[in-house]
Amino acid sequence: MDKLLIRGPVKLKGRVRISGAKNAALPCMAASILTDESVRLTNVPDVADVISTIELMRYMGSDCSFDKEKNILKIEGGKLTKCEAPYDIVRKMRASSLVLGPLVAKYKKARVSLPGGCAIGVRPIDLHIKALAQMGADIRNEHGYIVVEARQLKGIKFFFDIVTVTGTENIMMAAVLANGVTVLENCAKEPEVVCLAKMLKKMGARIEGEGTDRIVIEGVRYLKGCSYKLISDRIEAGTYAVAAAITRGDVIIDNCEPEYFDNVLLKLEEAGSDIRRMKNAVKVSMKRRPKPFEIVTMPYPGFPTDMQAQFVALATLAEGSSVVKETIFENRFMHIPELMRMGADIEIKGNTAHIRGVKKLSGANLMATDLRASAALVLAALAAEGESVINRIYHIDRGYAHLDSKMKKIGARIERLK
Ligand code: UD1
């Protein structure tokens, strides 16, 4: 298993190029199931979750080719021979359940392993299932798999009791080929949901209201192929922005859409960073110790849960006490015990972390536990004094394209140990 060796402290300086959004790539790849024609996606990030989704598409019989240098993924439509997401793939990547909606819509059946618990909480998909059942699908649970069959899905009115990103995406993909009109209320408004809706529209789907609480979809009979560019990864961009701040560096973050992570940039400004927003780039510099801040994670446009761990890392070095409340996932503080081993002063009360800033962190042997927790450890290690070794970095590789080489280019002393 690969490890990362990081020597701190460093001041990051230079320019880093952001990859395409992992969380846009996964639903857009699933959307290719809806057409018999070919789909060409550009700005696709070379991350392990994309590779796992390619593995899943190939398992089902699809023909995929991924040019990792050019970040272009081609998927030939209409080739599926199996409508199944097996346990071994779903276990690695819970977002595999995104194939459920498109499989049932196009092939009238799906067999998808139920995602179990995962490091950051239970994460059920009950709302995806409830909506599909209402659309007329017959659903049963067999040997740990959810088996869905439907003659023809029908349009429905549905209210999501909880705002769910992949739930909104799954049901939107089911509805595009359903009979009649579907009205979804309390939808997720994340830029990745909008990115998927725009792709579906390019394929001929009739969708209105993406990016708002209420999405209306009029089913069509047929969707065509398309060539489509994914948005950039706002979480990767936000992570490099915090990296610049925590190391009191000066970094230009390129190939990103600053308006999609303004929630993060505003919080960095509150913490004392200088931010210059440009058209497709943002410059982040920090000259002093961070000022303390308060964060409550919320669905978009609120502060993203996927940036919570990185900001906890930043708060450990602040001049004063910060408060970070996690409202989306119940077990998303696993970076905290590791940060405390580096000298951070943090107390967890329920879903809230109280962080008293310290003057310095010291390098340590660390364990990555999930994708964003691992990113927080990298950030802390860059700012800490001495050497840190981060174990189990496959978590980082799931969502950060070439993190070690990108970090090295902006001055990090970082090595991947095989
Ligand atoms: C997506 C993102 C993930 C991000 C999360 C929240 C992808 C591939 N992943 O995950 O990076 O951290 O949004 O922004 O886009 N819930 C239910 N029942 C359901 C569905 C969800 O109770 O049927 C709950 C979840 O347990 C969680 C909350 O709703 O507490 C939000 O989860 P959701 O938005 O569905 O997360 P994902 O779509 O899995």
Side-chain angles (χ1 to χ4, degrees):
M1 255 185 262
D2 291 5
K3 298 173 183 185
L4 282 180
L5 170 67
I6 298 176
R7 290 192 183 90
V10 287
K11 270 187 193 305
L12 297 182
K13 204 168 168 38
R15 208 174 252 273
V16 62
R17 190 180 162 78
I18 299 307
S19 301
K22 166 184 89 76
N23 285 355
L26 307 183
C28 289
M29 290 169 75
S32 72
I33 294 172
L34 293 162
T35 175
D36 288 331
E37 299 176 15
S38 63
V39 164
R40 178 176 175 272
L41 297 173
T42 60
N43 203 27
V44 178
D46 177 17
V47 295
D49 274 10
V50 164
I51 305 299
S52 297
T53 309
I54 292 175
E55 195 190 329
L56 170 60
M57 298 296 292
R58 287 189 178 138
Y59 174 88
M60 294 193 292
S62 174
D63 195 353
C64 303
S65 61
F66 185 26
D67 182 335
K68 292 183 183 180
E69 299 292 313
K70 297 199 176 114
N71 301 100
I72 297 175
L73 173 67
K74 288 186 192 144
I75 307 174
E76 297 303 327
K79 295 251 162 82
L80 261 50
T81 48
K82 256 186 275 184
C83 294
E84 181 185 301
Y87 176 71
D88 272 345
I89 298 179
V90 179
R91 177 176 61 85
K92 273 195 275 184
M93 191 190 51
R94 306 172 39 82
S96 335
S97 51
L98 276 168
V99 297
L100 200 55
L103 281 177
V104 184
K106 175 82 166 80
Y107 293 91
K108 317 291 177 215
K109 57 181 182 201
R111 193 168 175 270
V112 174
S113 175
L114 273 167
C118 76
I120 64 169
V122 180
R123 290 228 240 182
I125 54 163
D126 55 315
L127 295 169
H128 310 220
I129 293 167
K130 189 174 164 196
L132 285 173
Q134 209 172 307
M135 293 176 93
D138 175 46
I139 300 177
R140 40 184 211 278
N141 187 340
E142 268 176 12
H143 311 293
Y145 278 75
I146 162 142
V147 181
V148 184
E149 282 167 342
R151 280 224 185 92
Q152 170 66 39
L153 294 175
K154 59 175 196 289
I156 54 165
K157 267 196 134 182
F158 188 80
F159 182 89
F160 287 101
D161 295 326
I162 299 176
V163 177
T164 156
V165 176
T166 50
T168 303
E169 292 166 344
N170 227 339
I171 303 311
M172 193 159 69
M173 289 191 279
V176 287
L177 289 178
N179 237 338
V181 175
T182 295
V183 181
L184 302 177
E185 304 273 7
N186 201 25
C187 294
K189 302 190 278 268
E190 269 68 0
E192 293 76 18
V193 175
V194 176
C195 182
L196 169 67
K198 284 187 176 160
M199 172 180 171
L200 293 168
K201 288 206 227 187
K202 211 170 173 194
M203 295 167 78
R206 295 206 186 124
I207 303 175
E208 271 175 28
E210 67 275 15
T212 74
D213 295 317
R214 185 170 195 264
I215 303 181
V216 180
I217 306 132
E218 190 187 335
V220 295
R221 293 207 156 181
Y222 175 84
L223 290 181
K224 53 184 194 289
C226 70
S227 179
Y228 187 67
K229 184 177 176 204
L230 302 178
I231 56 171
S232 295
D233 199 310
R234 64 194 165 97
I235 304 299
E236 188 195 18
T239 302
Y240 282 98
V242 180
I246 199 172
T247 62
R248 297 191 214 169
D250 195 352
V251 176
I252 295 177
I253 297 155
D254 245 341
N255 190 40
C256 63
E257 291 99 356
E259 66 276 19
Y260 291 157
F261 60 108
D262 211 40
N263 40 20
V264 167
L265 296 175
L266 287 167
K267 198 49 76 176
L268 277 176
E269 280 175 327
E270 210 180 304
S273 301
D274 287 321
I275 307 278
R276 213 174 97 216
R277 294 162 178 81
M278 291 164 267
K279 191 160 177 276
N280 280 309
V282 53
K283 184 166 184 265
V284 180
S285 39
M286 182 92 161
K287 294 194 178 61
R288 53 191 301 283
R289 260 179 88 184
K291 288 187 244 171
F293 48 83
E294 291 191 9
I295 284 176
V296 182
T297 62
M298 289 282 177
Y300 191 85
F303 189 91
T305 172
D306 285 352
M307 284 301 304
Q308 177 259 105
Q310 300 87 320
F311 271 79
V312 169
L314 183 67
T316 62
L317 288 167
E319 233 169 346
S321 293
S322 302
V323 181
V324 175
K325 186 169 176 187
E326 171 59 55
T327 72
I328 310 288
F329 294 114
E330 67 267 31
N331 191 18
R332 209 172 198 181
F333 278 150
M334 281 174 320
H335 41 290
I336 288 181
E338 297 299 293
L339 292 171
M340 288 170 75
R341 294 181 51 248
M342 302 176 83
D345 181 357
I346 309 177
E347 193 182 350
I348 304 177
K349 286 187 192 149
N351 65 353
T352 305
H354 298 263
I355 308 131
R356 280 176 292 270
V358 293
K359 280 206 173 126
K360 59 174 195 162
L361 297 175
S362 58
N365 234 315
L366 303 165
M367 189 68 78
T369 48
D370 69 63
L371 175 55
R372 307 305 171 185
S374 327
L377 299 185
V378 171
L379 301 183
L382 290 169
E385 288 186 4
E387 220 172 77
S388 295
V389 175
I390 305 181
N391 296 282
R392 298 203 183 156
I393 57 157
Y394 55 84
H395 287 294
I396 297 182
D397 295 332
R398 280 190 46 211
Y400 289 92
H402 312 290
L403 176 122
D404 39 332
S405 54
K406 287 191 189 186
M407 283 286 186
K408 211 178 245 174
K409 267 196 199 141
I410 49 175
R413 288 179 291 175
I414 183 167
E415 299 297 330
R416 182 177 283 256
L417 308 175
K418 293 278 175 190

